[in-house]
Amino acid sequence: DQQVKQNSPSLSVQEGRISILNCDYTNSMFDYFLWYKKYPAEGPTFLISISSIKDKNEDGRFTVFLNKSAKHLSLHIVPSQPGDSAVYFCAPHAGNNRKLIWGLGTSLAVNP
Amino acid sequence: NAGVMQNPRHLVRRRGQEARLRCSPMKGHSHVYWYRQLPEEGLKFMVYLQKENIIDESGMPKERFSAEFPKEGPSILRIQQVVRGDSAAYFCASSEGLVGDTQYFGPGTRLTVL
């Protein structure tokens, strides 16, 4: 039973354009949603998070949108840069239950 | 300010041997988490520890796996009598332990069982 789904295994965009990565979840108890970026043979790097009491959070080129009624969130990267090429993971958790539940990731390729 | 440290980065064991993976959390962090990533899969939670306490071990296999986070020193994930299916990347994360806080990850230990 996969609680977190990232339905696009891969995404390719041109440098300078917007990258949109999507994540759907089934557990309505999730109240914190984190996005991580991961390069091969390295650990995940935290990017940005959002609490369930918000619908948008922005940090530089990264914006996360949360639609609780649809149980859907998305990460927008604009403008995309070649260095953004990595695998992106959506990882929510539910309040005091701190274990992060991970999607399978979306591999983003930003082409120069 | 050093990040989360894990060692060794690579570990090779033969079937039946023991594997010990170490994790030093970020300075000021008293909460440690272990995750495992099997080949071609996403990360899966294993265990959550505070100093000298296991808070949640719901993701730990019932046998051969154990974890500790002593008062002094790093957190240790111990796998006894390793089997080929234990080959994976093991990641440690740490956090301050506040509600909604961020978990910061180490570089991982890649365990290969021959």
Side-chain angles (χ1 to χ4, degrees), chain B residues 25-69:
Chain B
M26 283 179 69
K27 188 176 180 180
H29 286 189
S30 58
H31 293 237
V32 164
Y33 314 80
W34 286 92
Y35 294 84
R36 175 168 70 170
Q37 186 176 27
L38 294 168
E40 308 302 322
E41 295 189 17
L43 280 79
K44 294 276 173 32
F45 168 82
M46 298 183 74
V47 63
Y48 163 34
L49 310 103
Q50 284 179 269
K51 287 281 188 182
E52 301 184 278
N53 284 309
I54 296 175
I55 307 301
D56 181 355
E57 57 182 345
S58 58
M60 288 278 269
K62 294 284 186 283
E63 297 176 349
R64 302 186 297 108
F65 284 72
S66 62
E68 62 176 8
F69 188 17

Side-chain angles (χ1 to χ4, degrees), chain A residues 36 41 43-44 98-100 102 104, chain B residues 35 48 58 97-98 103 106 110:
Chain A
Y36 287 85
R98 297 175 181 277
K99 59 185 179 187
L100 295 175
W102 296 74
L104 293 179
Chain B
Y35 294 84
Y48 163 34
S58 58
L98 304 173
Q103 295 178 27
R110 272 140 195 89

Side-chain angles (χ1 to χ4, degrees), chain B residues 55-110:
Chain B
I55 307 301
D56 181 355
E57 57 182 345
S58 58
M60 288 278 269
K62 294 284 186 283
E63 297 176 349
R64 302 186 297 108
F65 284 72
S66 62
E68 62 176 8
F69 188 17
K71 187 177 180 182
E72 302 290 339
S75 174
I76 307 285
L77 179 68
R78 182 183 178 206
I79 311 172
Q80 296 178 288
Q81 300 175 306
V82 296
V83 301
R84 288 220 173 102
D86 297 333
S87 295
Y90 291 81
F91 295 101
C92 169
S94 72
S95 76
E96 294 176 292
L98 304 173
V99 174
D101 64 0
T102 299
Q103 295 178 27
Y104 294 93
F105 282 78
T109 294
R110 272 140 195 89

Side-chain angles (χ1 to χ4, degrees), chain A residues 15-29:
Chain A
E15 182 178 5
R17 298 286 183 99
I18 185 171
S19 296
I20 300 176
L21 299 104
N22 295 303
C23 177
D24 297 289
Y25 61 96
T26 57
N27 189 342
S28 57
M29 298 300 290

